[in-house]
Amino acid sequence: MLQEKIQSNKAIIGVIGLGYVGLPLAVEFGKAGFTVLGIDQDNKKLKKLAKRVNYIPDVKTKELFDLLDRKRLIPGNDFAKLKEADVIYICVPTPIDKNKQPDISYIVAVTDQVIKILRKEQLIILGSTTYPGTTEDVVMPRLESTGLKVGKDIFLSFAPERVDPGNKGYTTRNTTKVFGGVTPKCAELTKLLLAKIISNVMQVSSPKVAETEKLLENIFRSVNIALVNELTILCREMGINVWEVIEAASTKPYGFMPFYPGPGIGGHCIPIDPYYLAWKAKEYDLRTRFIELAGEINDGMPHYVVKLTQDGLNKFSKSLSGSKILILGVAYKKDINDVRESPSLKIIEILQAKGAQVIVNDPYIEKIEIKGTQYRSTKVTDKILKTMDAVVIATDHSDYDYEQIVGTSRLVIDTRNATKRLKNKDNVILL
Ligand code: SAJ
């Protein structure tokens, strides 16, 4: 029954969470001919979809609007509608709290809603990045509290997201998706479904393997970014250009992958996901020291950028306090509009606390608020640049005119090697 519905694209797909992961997935299922019920509690998102505003740059606007117009994708906030859904794909956030402890409250809350409408022949897929064991130890008991049995009446698997916001080459469709089913039947149904929208799917032996591989993907990045961040601090003391070192190491055609220093790490994944494994490890009296050390080094980078700014101002016998500082780039990485966990926010907060007069610019972000202070994106003009005591390139958006910035500013702190092609840059301090 469920198998036939999936096979014939007649299955109704519920997607819970219409963010960076859920909306692109909903669009792919809609494009494949499924009817998709998109559920999100954030009325701002629902209003935007109703007013035909596409808030996820990686989603093709025409495709999204066409699906909405044809009611192939039906957004809403009523979980009761999911009774009709044959598949329910959970894509809710899994943040950490201020003590870096995992917070799976969204997963639990949504699961508790799902069990109200749960019925036989439904496939539940958890897509949110989480610690190993969440699917089978947290979600599964709740589902089976209804008396329905996983593997017999209902089906459950874990299939993590792989989204690189802003990456034009790799999309939901052409990026291999890994999944693990609780039982062979769960896996079989999940594979059948995912193969409808993703060209390459990889089945692993259990949800735990899939939960752990996803964390490894992001821990790999966090640890390697921390490695080069630590190296950049040492190279400065040795008078060596770390960017040149990395470029040279990158000529190794095997066994090396370049990562680059930066002002810290942002996004909804890399600064967060590793702590899910660090937390789980403690259950076994183990410490994941690489993860914690990487976090420490990466979290220290915004402070290091402020130190470099202070050193630069000292050359003009100026202190941070009272200095006018322009922060270029608030998004957590270039050419996107996402500020979540952005290191720029931390840099601004520190500068603000030290009494600097901070203004910001980001072509993708109109305004932000930090500790009660609103910052609107200020247009970058020669006049503005000339009045600044320092300009910090925090995000290397492609839109910036780096020639103008370096040619007009008194002091530039370049945390992204964005000025690499410029000749005269005696006024640039490179991270
Ligand atoms: N960063 C560095 N140096 C680097 C690479 C990145 O400082 O060499 C910084 C970035 O500026 C950014 C943060 O780290 O602030 C995260 O960068 P990211 O490139 O990992 O970007 P995300 O978090 O948007 O996307 C990542 C995916 N990125 C890539 O694989 C390139 C991937 O790790 C996950 O698929 C995705 O998060 C996710 O959804 O988990």
Side-chain angles (χ1 to χ4, degrees):
M1 227 265 274
L2 177 55
Q3 187 149 347
E4 286 72 46
K5 283 184 175 179
I6 295 174
Q7 191 51 46
S8 62
N9 295 26
K10 294 250 179 318
I12 293 176
I13 315 287
V15 175
I16 304 177
L18 298 177
Y20 277 81
V21 177
L23 194 63
L25 263 180
V27 166
E28 290 304 329
F29 280 120
K31 279 164 59 183
F34 292 96
T35 297
V36 184
L37 305 176
I39 303 289
D40 202 300
Q41 300 308 301
D42 175 357
N43 284 322
K44 278 203 296 256
K45 286 193 176 75
L46 298 176
K47 276 206 188 85
K48 283 180 178 168
L49 293 173
K51 285 195 302 197
R52 297 296 182 268
V53 172
N54 176 13
Y55 52 85
I56 301 286
D58 291 349
V59 165
K60 289 198 177 65
T61 298
K62 190 180 167 320
E63 291 178 353
L64 172 63
F65 292 0
D66 172 53
L67 293 171
L68 291 167
D69 293 346
R70 290 191 296 121
K71 298 217 174 318
R72 267 266 177 262
L73 169 55
I74 305 159
N77 60 10
D78 180 6
F79 281 97
K81 289 249 179 311
L82 292 178
K83 193 164 187 63
E84 304 154 41
D86 302 298
V87 176
I88 297 176
Y89 209 129
I90 300 173
C91 304
V92 293
T94 42
I96 50 177
D97 65 20
K98 61 184 183 317
N99 302 93
K100 300 199 189 298
Q101 299 297 307
D103 170 5
I104 60 164
S105 59
Y106 292 98
I107 293 181
V108 172
V110 156
T111 304
D112 289 343
Q113 290 293 334
V114 166
I115 60 179
K116 291 177 189 164
I117 50 88
L118 200 60
R119 57 166 169 79
K120 282 192 173 183
E121 293 291 296
Q122 274 183 318
L123 167 61
I124 313 296
I125 303 177
L126 179 60
S128 309
T129 304
T130 183
Y131 60 78
T134 305
T135 304
E136 289 156 290
D137 306 341
V138 175
V139 175
M140 187 162 142
R142 282 173 169 76
L143 297 181
E144 294 194 321
S145 68
T146 60
L148 294 166
K149 187 92 186 84
V150 167
K152 181 171 155 293
D153 308 312
I154 54 175
F155 306 94
L156 174 62
S157 59
F158 182 79
E161 45 123 339
R162 253 184 201 166
V163 173
D164 184 18
N167 189 322
K168 300 283 175 257
Y170 289 102
T171 61
T172 299
R173 173 167 287 278
N174 70 6
T175 303
T176 301
K177 197 157 193 70
V178 171
F179 71 93
V182 172
T183 72
K185 181 77 179 159
C186 300
E188 186 192 332
L189 289 166
T190 304
K191 183 169 189 162
L192 185 66
L193 176 79
L194 293 177
K196 293 279 182 181
I197 61 163
I198 296 170
S199 23
N200 205 3
V201 292
M202 179 190 180
Q203 178 177 340
V204 291
S205 57
S206 71
K208 281 192 177 75
V209 170
E211 287 160 339
T212 309
E213 78 80 17
K214 172 64 194 171
L215 293 175
L216 172 60
E217 283 176 40
N218 287 349
I219 293 164
F220 166 75
R221 294 183 66 69
S222 160
V223 168
N224 278 288
I225 293 164
L227 170 64
V228 290
N229 279 335
E230 184 179 63
L231 187 62
T232 199
I233 294 169
L234 172 60
C235 279
R236 170 176 307 286
E237 297 311 311
M238 300 190 295
I240 296 170
N241 182 325
V242 72
W243 301 87
E244 191 185 357
V245 168
I246 295 166
E247 191 184 354
S250 303
T251 57
K252 182 176 180 186
Y254 47 81
F256 183 79
M257 176 178 180
F259 285 85
Y260 301 96
I265 58 172
H268 62 296
C269 315
I270 310 306
I272 291 165
D273 299 345
Y275 291 105
Y276 272 73
L277 196 64
W279 177 82
K280 186 69 181 173
K282 290 176 188 152
E283 208 172 291
Y284 303 90
D285 300 329
L286 289 173
R287 300 297 299 277
T288 50
R289 282 168 293 165
F290 277 105
I291 294 172
E292 288 166 20
L293 176 60
E296 202 181 298
I297 293 170
N298 291 331
D299 289 353
M301 292 313 285
H303 299 271
Y304 185 65
V305 170
V306 170
K307 178 197 166 303
L308 290 183
T309 308
Q310 201 156 1
D311 296 349
L313 289 168
N314 279 351
K315 290 205 181 80
F316 298 94
S317 308
K318 291 195 74 75
S319 67
L320 273 179
S321 174
S323 285
K324 290 190 281 304
I325 300 176
L326 168 62
I327 303 291
L328 293 176
V330 176
Y332 75 83
K333 69 177 187 179
K334 75 179 198 179
D335 302 345
I336 64 168
N337 67 351
D338 191 348
V339 297
R340 282 176 298 177
E341 310 292 324
S342 174
S344 301
L345 304 177
K346 192 69 191 162
I347 292 169
I348 294 163
E349 183 187 326
I350 300 165
L351 289 173
Q352 190 181 306
K354 288 179 182 289
Q357 294 173 42
V358 180
I359 63 170
V360 307
N361 169 278
D362 190 307
Y364 293 83
I365 291 142
E366 207 184 306
K367 64 180 180 334
I368 50 162
E369 182 173 317
I370 296 178
K371 298 262 178 201
T373 307
Q374 283 255 348
Y375 296 87
R376 279 194 170 285
S377 179
T378 307
K379 195 167 165 20
V380 177
T381 62
D382 283 1
K383 184 164 177 292
I384 286 283
L385 291 170
K386 284 196 176 89
T387 54
M388 289 295 120
D389 296 306
V391 173
V392 178
I393 300 171
T395 313
D396 48 334
H397 288 309
S398 307
D399 302 2
Y400 284 135
D401 176 347
Y402 294 106
E403 196 109 28
Q404 175 203 19
I405 292 161
V406 171
T408 318
S409 309
R410 181 179 310 168
L411 170 64
V412 177
I413 290 82
D414 178 2
T415 73
R416 301 286 191 171
N417 201 20
T419 60
K420 56 178 169 278
R421 286 190 192 77
L422 301 186
K423 296 262 176 300
N424 315 321
K425 46 189 180 179
D426 300 343
N427 59 335
V428 175
I429 294 178
L430 180 58
L431 182 68

